[in-house]
Amino acid sequence: MELRQQLIETANAMNASGINRGTSGNLSVRLNDGFLITPSGINYSELAPEDIVEMNIKGEWGGSIKPSSEWRFHRDIYRQRADSQAILHAHPVFCATLACLVRPIPAFHYVVAVAGGRDIRCAAYATFGTQELSDHVLTALTDRKACLMANHGLICLGADLSRALALAIEIEQLAQVYYQCLAVGEPVILDDEEMDRVLEKFKDYGKLTPTVRQP
Ligand SMILES: [Zn+2]
């Protein structure tokens, strides 16, 4: 019950942060051998703990409330990524802008390393809710904690809900700066050696993983 409440609070924080509007995003957290996920089509502000859908790792659920239509990639990520305890999906404006250009985020800023590598990839397009989309997302998430999704949005993985949200906020800010750079010219890209150095430092720091900023 506590985890359901946390999921609702994070869903509302996601909208309050401006990275998501309405019910376009979705959020989940690992629970035992399955996960809890936000339902399809209910406003976050109206969510009650009993509206949260519990799914098993096969993708089955009980009750009359349907899980988010994107449950498939949540399930597949939990299956393949032991490091992921929470997953956030949203359509933040600047991430979605780059995603519609099918433009990955290169090492134009050292904080790009926050997603775990030298860049933030953009998963190939497939219809929402499909296995094909899930497969593309898993590929783009290889050695990464986040990726864009072509003509769609963003996915972030976290060790918990608040870290997944903090990562999404961080990446949306990077996407905004990258977009602004592109409006003026081509940003200078940091070389692989420098990014590897940054990645190493982020590891040492360990807890550089951002925490949620209070409004
Ligand atoms: Zn979506």
Side-chain angles (χ1 to χ4, degrees):
M1 193 51 87
E2 200 183 314
L3 206 51
R4 284 168 182 258
Q5 199 57 50
Q6 263 183 45
L7 193 65
I8 293 171
E9 280 166 20
T10 311
N12 280 301
M14 172 165 91
N15 281 22
S17 74
I19 64 158
N20 195 64
R21 289 175 193 164
T23 56
S24 58
N26 39 71
L27 199 59
S28 70
V29 62
R30 197 189 286 272
L31 176 68
N32 306 322
D33 293 332
F35 57 98
L36 297 174
I37 186 165
T38 47
S40 179
I42 303 179
N43 278 327
Y44 296 151
S45 58
E46 293 162 12
L47 276 181
E50 55 271 25
D51 297 329
I52 300 299
V53 182
E54 183 171 353
M55 299 192 81
N56 66 23
I57 214 68
K58 289 187 204 155
E60 300 162 333
W61 74 94
S64 57
I65 298 176
K66 279 192 195 165
S68 158
S69 55
E70 297 285 26
W71 61 266
R72 215 174 282 273
F73 63 66
H74 289 261
R75 178 201 60 185
D76 293 347
I77 293 168
Y78 289 124
R79 270 185 180 166
Q80 293 195 25
R81 295 287 299 262
D83 59 329
S84 177
Q85 299 300 316
I87 301 165
L88 178 153
H89 165 61
H91 305 169
V93 173
F94 289 96
C95 285
T97 302
L98 296 175
C100 292
L101 295 163
V102 195
R103 198 142 188 164
I105 304 178
F108 80 101
H109 190 296
Y110 79 92
V111 173
V112 164
V114 78
R118 295 171 183 163
D119 60 1
I120 299 168
R121 301 188 191 100
C122 183
Y125 180 81
T127 310
F128 78 95
T130 60
Q131 187 60 49
E132 195 187 357
L133 176 60
S134 180
D135 294 345
H136 291 331
V137 162
L138 259 299
T139 302
L141 283 172
T142 307
D143 302 323
R144 300 285 188 278
K145 290 188 283 183
C147 70
L148 302 178
M149 306 154 75
N151 309 91
H152 190 155
L154 168 73
I155 298 183
C156 289
L157 318 185
D160 56 36
L161 284 163
S162 106
R163 286 196 183 110
L165 175 59
L167 183 60
I169 292 169
E170 197 77 43
I171 293 177
E172 173 63 350
Q173 175 165 313
L174 285 168
Q176 180 171 6
V177 176
Y178 184 46
Y179 167 85
Q180 287 173 180
C181 289
L182 294 174
V184 180
E186 277 294 327
V188 173
I189 305 299
L190 298 170
D191 62 30
D192 289 353
E193 239 173 57
E194 176 56 15
M195 283 306 279
D196 289 349
R197 202 175 300 133
V198 173
L199 284 160
E200 207 50 46
K201 281 182 81 112
F202 274 25
K203 255 189 238 159
D204 290 349
Y205 244 160
K207 310 308 168 227
L208 187 106
T209 311
T211 48
V212 180
R213 299 170 191 127
Q214 296 304 320

